[in-house]
Amino acid sequence: MPVTSTNGVFGDPRSAQFLAAAQTVASIPAMHGRPEVPFWSGFDTDLLVTGRANAGKSTLLNAVLGRRDLLHTSKKPGRTKTLNWFRVGPDPGHLILVDAPGYGDRGRPEWGELFDHYVQNREVLRRVYILFNANHGLNEVDKMMLQSLDEQCQASSGLKWTLQAIITKTDTVPVKQLVGVVKTMYADIFKAAPTCLYPLLTSAYSKPHYGVDRVRRSMVEACGLEGVGKTGSRPQ
């Protein structure tokens, strides 16, 4: 089976750009084609990335985008407090990455309301990625979040968007323990979310990065952009 190339979509890291932020339902940017948000005149695909506050989400997304500091990182978990839209590729862009606030003990009720509204109403959403820290495994909040996403995915029959887990910080687990840790996490993930696609293993902190191009390939495939770079345009 041929390996999907990501160069056509992620090959120009300098073109990645922050577009908008929303802290309330009312401030979510308008849908594709609305004149007041001209950047949506590009490809109509959103990819949402969420995870517990200590999952290393910003670091992973910077690695995926090929940038060091487009997304702010912090040693203090829970820094992201809005939904943040980032364009991938030169204007008008190939796809949009949406960075969501971390959930869990540091979360706030209004963040959950914003997240749920976005997932349930965003017609251009193609895949939701949920991140789990390999060093911590899944706790009850993670499992509840997975179950909720799985139920919403099933409600749309998987036609609107799909769900995929990403296991981060695999380099923080001792090598001898990693297989057992990953096996346990896989079991927890699929028990809570039977519709979840096969989890991706990553480490954005190690040099070179591990698993980052697998995440890119997943994003390219989710948005149907496999032909970008071969013809210079999105497949019809």
Side-chain angles (χ1 to χ4, degrees):
M1 185 175 181
V3 176
T4 300
S5 172
T6 64
N7 290 338
V9 176
F10 291 94
D12 183 9
R14 292 175 298 179
S15 66
Q17 182 179 349
F18 169 77
L19 297 176
Q23 194 167 10
T24 63
V25 169
S27 61
I28 292 178
M31 287 291 190
H32 169 74
R34 295 289 178 88
E36 69 270 23
V37 196
F39 51 76
W40 293 124
S41 62
F43 297 129
D44 54 348
T45 47
D46 277 15
L47 298 170
L48 181 67
V49 186
T50 189
R52 212 183 333 157
N54 59 9
K57 179 164 49 66
S58 296
T59 298
L60 176 64
L61 287 180
N62 275 327
V64 167
L65 294 170
R67 300 284 286 274
R68 296 184 62 182
D69 55 5
L70 183 60
L71 283 80
H72 295 296
T73 59
S74 175
K75 293 182 179 180
K76 182 179 180 181
R79 174 165 178 164
T80 303
K81 298 181 179 179
T82 57
L83 285 175
N84 298 297
W85 280 256
F86 295 88
R87 186 190 72 209
V88 177
D91 189 34
H94 299 305
L95 57 86
I96 304 295
L97 289 181
V98 185
D99 180 24
Y103 60 82
D105 294 340
R106 299 173 186 271
R108 299 192 323 203
E110 58 265 36
W111 295 353
E113 178 186 359
L114 174 66
F115 181 91
D116 287 344
H117 178 90
Y118 175 86
V119 168
Q120 294 166 11
N121 293 279
R122 194 71 170 183
E123 294 297 330
V124 295
L125 180 61
R126 293 295 172 264
R127 183 164 294 172
V128 175
Y129 293 92
I130 182 168
L131 277 55
F132 302 111
N133 186 333
N135 203 41
H136 296 152
L138 276 67
N139 64 15
E140 291 306 310
V141 176
D142 292 322
K143 295 173 185 177
M144 290 173 60
M145 187 73 173
L146 260 177
Q147 185 176 3
S148 174
L149 287 170
D150 181 75
E151 290 171 353
Q152 293 180 68
C153 185
Q154 289 192 52
S156 68
S157 301
L159 298 177
K160 181 180 177 183
W161 52 269
T162 50
L163 173 65
Q164 188 161 29
I166 299 176
I167 297 176
T168 63
K169 302 186 180 182
T170 56
D171 59 311
T172 65
V173 179
V175 175
K176 292 182 179 180
Q177 299 176 23
L178 185 58
V179 172
V181 166
V182 169
K183 184 177 180 180
T184 298
M185 292 183 73
Y186 279 13
D188 288 342
I189 289 168
F190 290 129
K191 182 177 180 180
T195 65
C196 187
L197 298 175
Y198 201 75
L200 303 172
L201 301 180
T202 67
S203 175
Y205 292 88
S206 61
K207 302 294 183 180
H209 300 316
Y210 176 78
V212 169
D213 204 53
R214 290 187 180 90
V215 175
R216 291 173 179 160
R217 288 199 297 270
S218 171
M219 292 177 172
V220 167
E221 292 164 0
C223 297
L225 298 174
E226 293 92 334
V228 172
K230 297 179 180 179
T231 63
S233 61
R234 180 181 180 177
Q236 300 299 314

